[in-house]
Amino acid sequence: RSSRDRHYAWATSQLEKRRDTLRETFLREVAGGYIDEEAMAESAEFFGLAHLKDISLMIISPELFSCEQRPLPDYSLRYALEGALGDVLDAYEQAYMFADDSGNVLALIDGPVSDSLAEQVMKVAKTGLAVAVNTAIDRVNSLAEIPAVYDRLLEKTRDKAGNPDAVEKARAYIYNNFTRQDLGLDEVASHVKVNPAYLSRVMKRSLGVGFSRFLTLTRIEHAVRLMNNKNLLLRDIAERVGYSSPFYFSTAFKKVLGVSPAEYRNEGGGR
């Protein structure tokens, strides 16, 4: 065998060894909406997911340790639940577990799902791990539908847990921190305990604008109020509403109101 053939065989064997891990990463990115349909179709064939027919997506959302009243550490959650739920999911022809970016565990299941599956999962988690979980299951007609179904499942588990709406929590956090220049989507999503792609989608759906636009509108709204103080220079206002320079402030201001901050003041705005 040639050296090239040996290297190819070695690379193929390494890829096969990591197939399960790579599949989990792929499914996590699909759920987060990070993969377009063309790339999804190509990868699905490699991971043996292209021919799934009777598909369901289940989310397992942990609450608290029953005794310590604190979240189960993210790094151990997936492995603990995988071990505890392995026997339950072995009843299905194909079931792939993976973790999202928010501490939830998901299972993509091929085959008719028992009506009692959610109850089985909650019972196993409680008795085997002393962990309370919320679960939700929904049908998926294709891999491309996973992001939308995943969003619905997140909403269901949050409703069961009595958690405040993600959008309202995000809005409150933005209002309290918009003056910081480094405020970004990842930080807000981490505070709300959802993944960034999901938060951006639900903000767009609920508010009509995504995270970046909402942050800009919030900053410009407060900048307009500060215009009333004639003692404040425009660069001072820019800094107070979270812009690193008057140029970025002016650019954002004009995109929202159609005029620059200076023009707004000269035309009588901020009296």
Side-chain angles (χ1 to χ4, degrees):
R1 295 171 65 183
S2 69
S3 175
R4 186 178 67 177
D5 289 341
R6 287 197 301 273
H7 285 305
Y8 179 79
W10 177 85
T12 301
S13 68
Q14 293 302 307
L15 192 59
E16 286 298 326
K17 290 178 183 177
R18 297 188 60 216
R19 185 185 292 264
D20 290 347
T21 300
L22 293 171
R23 183 192 291 116
E24 291 172 9
T25 300
F26 168 69
L27 288 173
R28 179 166 59 252
E29 292 181 348
V30 168
Y34 300 118
I35 301 180
D36 61 41
E37 288 193 36
E38 183 178 350
M40 192 183 302
E42 293 175 1
S43 296
E45 189 71 39
F46 172 74
F47 291 122
L49 302 172
H51 307 296
L52 300 182
K53 296 177 181 178
D54 192 10
I55 320 170
S56 295
L57 184 67
M58 175 173 65
I59 188 169
I60 306 160
S61 181
E63 290 186 17
L64 301 171
F65 271 124
S66 58
C67 55
E68 297 182 24
Q69 295 298 296
R70 61 182 177 84
L72 184 67
D74 289 345
Y75 66 84
S76 63
L77 169 65
R78 179 185 136 228
Y79 301 105
L81 283 173
E82 271 190 356
L85 301 176
D87 290 341
V88 175
L89 295 178
D90 279 347
Y92 298 93
E93 186 175 343
Q94 288 180 284
Y96 304 103
M97 296 184 72
F98 60 101
D100 68 8
D101 297 326
S102 306
N104 302 302
V105 171
L106 295 102
L108 187 68
I109 302 167
D110 189 30
V113 173
S114 165
D115 292 337
S116 64
L117 178 59
E119 287 76 12
Q120 287 179 274
V121 167
M122 288 188 285
K123 182 177 180 180
V124 168
K126 186 174 182 179
T127 57
L129 301 173
V131 176
V133 297
N134 289 308
T135 63
I137 307 172
D138 206 345
R139 294 276 301 133
V140 181
N141 294 316
S142 68
L143 293 182
E145 285 190 6
I146 287 179
V149 173
Y150 169 63
D151 288 355
R152 290 201 300 270
L153 295 179
L154 279 175
E155 293 292 345
K156 287 180 181 178
T157 55
R158 268 199 300 276
D159 289 344
K160 290 178 182 178
N163 292 333
D165 179 74
V167 173
E168 290 307 312
K169 289 179 71 177
R171 287 176 67 175
Y173 192 79
I174 291 168
Y175 283 139
N176 289 329
N177 294 277
F178 72 90
T179 58
R180 288 178 30 226
Q181 295 175 14
D182 61 346
L183 182 64
L185 175 60
D186 287 350
E187 177 185 336
V188 177
S190 176
H191 174 77
V192 177
K193 293 183 172 53
V194 298
N195 74 55
Y198 169 77
L199 180 60
S200 184
R201 288 197 299 272
V202 295
M203 287 186 71
K204 178 74 173 178
R205 189 166 63 232
S206 177
L207 305 175
V209 293
F211 168 81
S212 295
R213 181 65 173 173
F214 182 78
L215 177 57
T216 297
L217 293 174
T218 301
R219 285 172 166 164
I220 300 307
E221 175 189 352
H222 284 79
V224 167
R225 294 177 186 172
L226 292 174
M227 294 278 190
N228 290 315
N229 186 345
K230 298 298 183 180
N231 294 321
L232 284 177
L233 299 176
L234 292 179
R235 66 169 177 268
D236 297 327
I237 293 174
E239 185 176 345
R240 289 193 182 194
V241 297
Y243 287 99
S244 59
S245 76
F247 172 77
Y248 292 129
F249 170 55
S250 181
T251 301
F253 195 98
K254 191 166 187 176
K255 283 183 179 179
V256 173
L257 296 180
V259 295
S260 70
E263 290 169 333
Y264 181 83
R265 265 193 167 169
N266 291 338
E267 292 172 6
R271 286 184 235 185

